[in-house]
């Protein structure tokens, strides 16, 4: 199950609300574009997870059960492909080990008195 971060936020807001939720207020509060909200709403309504009435939406009973069943995959996903960089090679540090910067990257002229 692949869910983007904005879809995750919308699903969470719909799950927290027991009744109808205004989609425009979701757009304002979560600072999502109308296209992101519309995409997620159409995706969720296509599989029957939500029902839509104008600018309001709510999770169906089937949708609530789906969120509860898949909550680990939805909200506890630790994959962060955007955090990996091919330009930075980080080495791990042991707990309590002091951090020392690379000496080659320090500007030594900063420490000289003029």
């Amino acid at each position: 199950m692949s869910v983007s971060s904005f879809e995750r936020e919308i699903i969470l807001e719909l799950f927290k609300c027991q009744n109808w939720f205004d989609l425009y207020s979701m757009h304002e509060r979560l600072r999502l574009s109308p296209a992101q909200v519309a995409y997620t709403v159409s995706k969720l309504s296509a599989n029957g997870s939500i029902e839509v009435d104008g600018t309001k939406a709510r999770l169906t009973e089937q949708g609530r059960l789906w969120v509860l069943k898949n909550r680990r995959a939805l909200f506890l996903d630790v994959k962060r492909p955007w955090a990996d960089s091919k330009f930075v090679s980080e080495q791990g540090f042991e707990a309590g080990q002091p951090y020392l910067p690379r000496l080659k990257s320090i500007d030594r002229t900063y420490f000289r008195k003029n």
Side-chain angles (χ1 to χ4, degrees):
M1 166 188 330
S2 172
V3 180
S4 63
S5 60
F6 68 88
E7 290 174 306
R8 186 176 297 124
E9 292 294 322
I10 292 172
I11 291 170
L12 181 62
E13 287 298 316
L14 288 171
F15 186 77
K16 286 194 289 187
C17 181
Q18 297 295 325
N19 208 348
W20 292 98
F21 194 84
D22 184 39
L23 296 173
Y24 186 76
S25 66
M26 185 181 303
H27 153 70
E28 283 184 324
R29 189 158 32 125
L30 299 178
R31 298 180 189 256
L32 298 173
S33 73
Q36 289 173 320
V37 175
Y39 170 78
T40 306
V41 166
S42 66
K43 183 178 174 181
L44 292 173
S45 63
N47 66 8
S49 296
I50 66 170
E51 54 185 337
V52 181
D53 180 26
T55 61
K56 297 181 293 184
R58 71 175 172 189
L59 281 173
T60 61
E61 191 60 35
Q62 173 191 352
R64 286 197 175 282
L65 293 174
W66 175 78
V67 171
L68 286 173
K69 181 180 175 185
N70 298 302
R71 64 184 176 259
R72 179 176 294 277
L74 285 171
F75 304 117
L76 297 177
D77 187 19
V78 293
K79 296 176 187 170
R80 303 179 321 161
W82 49 266
D84 297 330
S85 173
K86 63 182 179 183
F87 301 110
V88 177
S89 61
E90 293 184 14
Q91 53 185 343
F93 294 103
E94 296 290 326
Q97 180 182 0
Y99 166 74
L100 296 173
R102 286 179 281 165
L103 295 177
K104 290 190 279 186
S105 63
I106 295 176
D107 182 18
R108 295 180 189 272
T109 59
Y110 177 79
F111 297 104
R112 293 187 187 139
K113 291 185 178 181
N114 293 329

